[in-house]
Amino acid sequence: MYYDLIVKNGRVIDPVSGKSETRGIYVHNGRIAPPPGDGSALSCGIEVNAEGCYVAPGFIDDHLHCHRGNPLGGNPDCICLPCGVTTAIDPGSTGAYNIGTLAEGVATFSETNIKALVHVNPSGVSMPPYEEPADPRLFDKVKILEAFRKYPHMIKGIKIRATEGSFRNLGLAPLRKAVEIADYVENAGFRCPLVMHFSALPENLEVENLIDTLRPGDVFAHLYQPTGKTIFDSRRKLLSCMEKGRKKGILFDSACSTTWSSVENLRDAFRQGFMPDIIGTDIVGYTRYKEPVVSLPNQMSFFMNLGMTFEAALRAVTVTPAKVYGILDEAGTLAPGAPADIAIFQKIECEKTYSDRYGGTFTGNQMLLPWATIRAGNVVFVQAFMRNKSYY
């Protein structure tokens, strides 16, 4: 029996089933193939010996700015593939008027599987220090729906930024309009979660207002940001509306970036049991491989050292975002027939000091170390020393 590629001897973790076992992964024609069942002799084009490593579905970074036509955009293959990330979701770099530049440019020519959110502002996100206006009169639901129809394989939701710079004196009107548009798109037959950036709210808005307006299945991003109103009250107790939102079915994305988190907020939230459902990086072109986020595995390690379990961190970059964005048929799973997107990595003991841009630090003692990445059945990254483990 012939396979194009076999990953052998690794500890395979399937977050969908919850199973963890030492076994082989078999790949044929770019997809996960069933294991041989008749005891016949095996042959393959490439054999990867993952002894001592974990083998998991390729990671999903659901918050990575990768539109090279925007000053924020970074090279997704450079940022993702060396880190076990095989799927990236651009969080609204483009709007309905320019989404084609992402769909027909970066997404076409990247080896990373690129998905995207359409920003409700027709031109997408603006470069700091300016923020795109969230005036509902600018939102064009017809053009947004046209974008979903033109690029159904790539577009997986819409985006809005709930900030003082965008909302100004408009109150909840921009968010309510965004929800209306998401409903409009879904009524036309498309899955359309609304992803909301949270930071520096206007004086006339409270966090509870946002939670009450978002729908089940929507995503609250930049959960641990420290500017202005936060998810804590004056005594550093988690706002009751946060648990209310979780029970409602809202998903919470870390999306820490270099700005939108602090060690203090992370530590206080984790102590109160409020950990992210999704781990996204919010890396942009000029922050790639820089502290404090560095990469998606580094962000996972950060959270594990604060108390998040390894299993929860793995779900937060595989099956959970895959379900939220409706891409479980192509990411987040090792089920037979799925694209062969695979992350091979170790969990090692390694002392490291983690920090934020606000002066907060702590020391951790465990780290996830990427060893190899397989995308659509092709080895797209491998540590050089894996050649000593019968890589070819």
Side-chain angles (χ1 to χ4, degrees):
M1 184 173 295
Y2 179 81
Y3 294 98
D4 300 313
L5 182 148
I6 298 175
V7 180
K8 67 176 188 178
N9 300 331
R11 187 70 180 177
V12 178
I13 302 179
D14 189 344
V16 174
S17 66
K19 290 183 179 180
S20 175
E21 55 189 336
T22 300
R23 64 177 176 89
I25 295 288
Y26 304 89
V27 176
H28 185 61
N29 288 336
R31 295 188 174 270
I32 305 293
D38 57 5
S40 58
L42 299 180
S43 62
C44 67
I46 296 176
E47 183 178 272
V48 178
N49 187 351
E51 183 179 359
C53 296
Y54 289 100
V55 179
F59 300 154
I60 301 168
D61 189 341
D62 87 315
H63 212 105
L64 176 68
H65 287 277
C66 54
H67 179 36
R68 304 302 298 282
N70 184 302
L72 293 173
N75 184 324
D77 289 347
C78 171
I79 296 167
C80 295
L81 302 181
C83 299
V85 179
T86 54
T87 298
I89 301 176
D90 183 282
S93 294
T94 54
Y97 292 177
N98 57 356
I99 185 70
T101 61
L102 174 59
E104 298 172 22
V106 174
T108 299
F109 297 104
S110 296
E111 243 178 312
T112 308
N113 184 20
I114 304 296
K115 306 299 181 186
L117 307 175
V118 179
H119 202 299
V120 290
N121 181 287
S123 298
V125 70
S126 294
M127 181 74 177
Y130 305 103
E131 294 184 330
E132 68 285 352
D135 187 334
R137 293 173 297 180
L138 297 173
F139 304 171
D140 191 333
K141 67 179 184 180
V142 173
K143 288 291 184 182
I144 289 174
L145 179 56
E146 285 179 4
F148 273 81
R149 286 176 170 154
K150 189 170 184 179
Y151 306 111
H153 183 69
M154 190 190 76
I155 300 176
K156 298 302 172 182
I158 63 174
K159 172 73 176 288
I160 191 169
R161 293 210 294 175
T163 71
E164 184 175 20
S166 287
F167 276 35
R168 300 172 188 175
N169 62 347
L170 294 168
L172 272 174
L175 187 59
R176 286 173 175 156
K177 185 66 175 180
V179 168
E180 177 190 318
I181 292 171
D183 286 340
Y184 173 75
V185 172
E186 290 191 342
N187 288 336
F190 297 93
R191 187 184 189 94
C192 188
L194 168 62
V195 177
M196 183 201 71
H197 167 122
F198 160 62
S199 68
L201 291 180
E203 283 299 316
N204 61 352
L205 281 184
E206 302 296 334
V207 177
E208 187 170 12
N209 302 139
L210 308 178
I211 294 293
D212 287 343
T213 306
L214 292 172
R215 311 165 304 161
D218 288 340
V219 179
F220 184 115
H222 307 304
L223 175 59
Y224 306 109
Q225 70 83 25
T227 58
K229 298 168 186 176
T230 69
I231 62 173
F232 304 101
D233 64 19
S234 59
R235 296 171 297 168
R236 301 296 298 172
K237 184 178 179 181
L238 188 75
L239 296 174
S240 61
C241 65
M242 300 306 292
E243 289 292 355
K244 175 183 174 183
R246 179 153 277 168
K247 290 177 181 177
K248 182 179 180 180
I250 295 169
L251 285 298
F252 294 92
D253 181 0
S254 59
C256 285
S257 183
T258 56
T259 304
W260 307 126
S261 71
S262 70
V263 169
E264 181 184 27
N265 280 9
L266 281 159
R267 183 179 282 132
D268 286 353
F270 277 39
R271 284 173 178 167
Q272 295 175 66
F274 207 84
M275 300 180 188
D277 300 295
I278 303 170
I279 299 174
T281 62
D282 198 25
I283 290 174
V284 300
Y286 54 81
T287 63
R288 66 184 184 186
Y289 297 113
K290 294 180 181 177
E291 297 287 352
V293 174
V294 182
S295 67
L296 187 59
N298 186 76
Q299 189 74 94
M300 295 164 70
S301 304
F302 195 124
F303 291 169
M304 288 163 54
N305 282 298
L306 284 174
M308 193 173 193
T309 67
F310 169 59
E311 294 76 13
L314 191 59
R315 289 194 300 271
V317 299
T318 54
V319 63
T320 300
K323 287 182 175 178
V324 169
Y325 296 105
I327 57 172
L328 193 56
D329 60 334
E330 57 179 303
T333 179
L334 294 175
D341 288 3
I342 304 169
I344 302 173
F345 60 97
Q346 283 189 324
K347 181 157 67 80
I348 63 172
E349 292 184 5
C350 178
E351 186 171 296
K352 178 184 175 180
T353 298
Y354 295 87
S355 62
D356 63 33
R357 66 176 297 179
Y358 306 100
T361 64
F362 75 96
T363 300
N365 60 9
Q366 56 181 325
M367 180 184 295
L368 300 183
L369 176 65
W371 272 52
T373 307
I374 297 166
R375 163 76 181 117
N378 298 306
V379 178
V380 291
F381 167 77
V382 64
Q383 296 281 9
F385 48 77
M386 277 201 81
R387 294 180 182 273
N388 296 326
K389 305 188 77 174
S390 302
Y391 166 57
Y392 286 115

